[in-house]
Amino acid sequence: MQNHLTDRELLEALADEVELNLRRHTAVADGWQPHDYVPWDDGRNFAFLGGEDWTPEQSELSDIAKLALTVSVLIADNLPSYHREIGKYLRIGPWWRWVGRWTAEENRHEILIRNYLMVTRSVDPVDLERQRMAHMTAGFRRPALHLLDVLANGAFEEAASAIRHRNTAALNENPMVTAIAARIAADDELQSEFFADLIAAAFAIAPDQTMRAIADRVAGFEVPGVALPDGRSSDEVLAEAGIYDRAKEGELVFAPLLRRWNVFDRADLGPEGEQARAELEHLRAFSHA
């Protein structure tokens, strides 16, 4: 039976890997500016400053695009809750610098989408603000996790977000929405890669624990969601729109990462790891596709 490492031991054992991945990530992800994606010439004052307040006919976006971007901005706007949840596990050395970097990237996604929506008058700004207040007041909290669970969950969550944004880009709503969604998806993919590389490194030092964390996070996976004003959840509406369907998570979210980690062909597992891998058997066909 493999010896179990404590979270503190894992934090220390993986610290050099975090530093290397943080440098790689920053070098690749630093090549864009959010203000470049906003058509500022389209902007004008609202009535409070002597202009004209929003009316529905001012929006030129389809209902699907408005929904997808609204959900994205609300999820990203709940950043303080996500920062708290991930930061409480990663408070030392390069881990804490990664938390700062990840938080800054998520924040610029929210800033970019909100600026675009406001400048182009694509959605009702009053309704968006009310939804933002309600969503952030409700907050976000998850049960306590171990370090490897946090890393596996991060890889899955960012992969799911990338899929959502890639599908938003695929709407071909207009060149700017396509560019914005594609740019954010690229960041999501890089963030998922960061977490995935740490899981790969964890397999080298604690294979059973790592496999257990993957199986548990697959079983308990839930993407962040938004309660919409009409009572529906963002999950069901985005699925209907073809933006993100939880029924396809096995194929689109989990399987690519399981392949990356060589989950079904590993020969370094003990009994605990083998049991965890058996719980992933329903994904084998997707992973070998």
Side-chain angles (χ1 to χ4, degrees):
M1 180 178 294
Q2 299 172 9
N3 292 328
H4 274 234
L5 300 178
T6 66
D7 282 356
R8 184 73 184 193
E9 289 170 333
L10 287 165
L11 282 168
E12 294 172 355
L14 294 171
D16 289 345
E17 193 71 23
V18 175
E19 186 67 58
L20 289 172
N21 276 275
L22 181 55
R23 292 177 186 174
R24 174 194 56 79
H25 177 92
T26 303
V28 175
D30 259 352
W32 71 281
Q33 296 295 327
H35 60 263
D36 287 335
Y37 290 76
V38 180
W40 300 103
D41 282 348
D42 291 353
R44 60 189 189 276
N45 289 341
F46 292 98
F48 185 78
L49 292 179
E52 179 187 6
D53 275 341
W54 184 87
T55 55
E57 64 273 11
Q58 293 171 7
S59 177
E60 297 181 357
L61 293 188
S62 67
D63 289 343
I64 294 176
K66 285 188 283 190
L67 171 67
L69 293 175
T70 295
V71 169
S72 287
V73 79
L74 290 175
I75 289 175
D77 215 3
N78 213 2
L79 187 59
S81 294
Y82 308 139
H83 175 89
R84 180 195 66 234
E85 286 298 313
I86 193 172
K88 66 186 179 185
Y89 300 103
L90 311 177
R91 289 187 175 276
I92 63 172
W95 294 95
W96 187 237
R97 293 200 300 279
W98 165 247
V99 171
R101 174 72 199 199
W102 176 84
T103 301
E105 290 184 4
E106 293 299 313
N107 192 38
R108 73 176 174 181
H109 296 169
E110 186 276 332
I111 291 169
L112 167 57
I113 300 172
R114 175 181 291 277
N115 283 345
Y116 176 83
L117 292 176
M118 293 300 99
V119 167
T120 61
R121 295 185 173 231
S122 293
V123 300
D124 182 347
V126 175
D127 182 58
L128 182 63
E129 178 63 9
R130 286 172 177 164
Q131 290 188 64
R132 188 188 74 85
M133 293 293 287
H135 186 57
M136 291 191 68
T137 299
F140 172 83
R141 186 176 297 275
R142 60 165 52 105
L145 299 173
H146 289 295
L147 176 65
L148 297 178
D149 294 86
V150 173
L151 300 180
N153 208 65
F156 293 141
E157 283 189 343
E158 295 301 342
S161 183
I163 290 167
R164 180 161 49 84
H165 287 114
R166 287 292 178 198
N167 286 335
T168 301
L171 294 173
N172 290 320
E173 184 71 23
N174 65 47
M176 288 313 305
V177 169
T178 299
I180 289 168
R183 178 59 260 178
I184 294 175
D187 272 9
D188 294 335
E189 288 159 356
L190 288 173
Q191 292 169 347
S192 181
E193 182 178 353
F194 182 96
F195 289 114
D197 282 350
L198 294 182
I199 285 290
F203 263 121
I205 59 176
D208 277 13
Q209 282 178 264
T210 305
M211 191 67 78
R212 179 74 268 160
I214 292 170
D216 287 347
R217 294 339 309 155
V218 166
F221 185 65
E222 292 186 13
V223 293
V226 175
L228 301 174
D230 62 6
R232 294 183 296 171
S233 71
S234 58
D235 278 358
E236 61 181 299
V237 178
L238 291 177
E240 291 171 3
I243 301 296
Y244 185 85
D245 187 350
R246 294 208 60 192
K248 297 181 179 179
E249 284 175 345
E251 175 185 3
L252 301 179
V253 177
F254 303 137
L257 286 163
L258 298 185
R259 283 196 299 270
R260 183 188 186 102
W261 298 323
N262 196 31
V263 159
F264 292 109
D265 295 317
R266 303 193 69 88
D268 55 358
L269 301 176
E272 182 185 359
E274 291 289 1
Q275 174 58 44
R277 177 159 60 184
E279 295 168 22
L280 297 167
E281 188 64 28
H282 63 291
L283 297 171
R284 181 185 288 270
F286 293 134
S287 297
H288 286 169

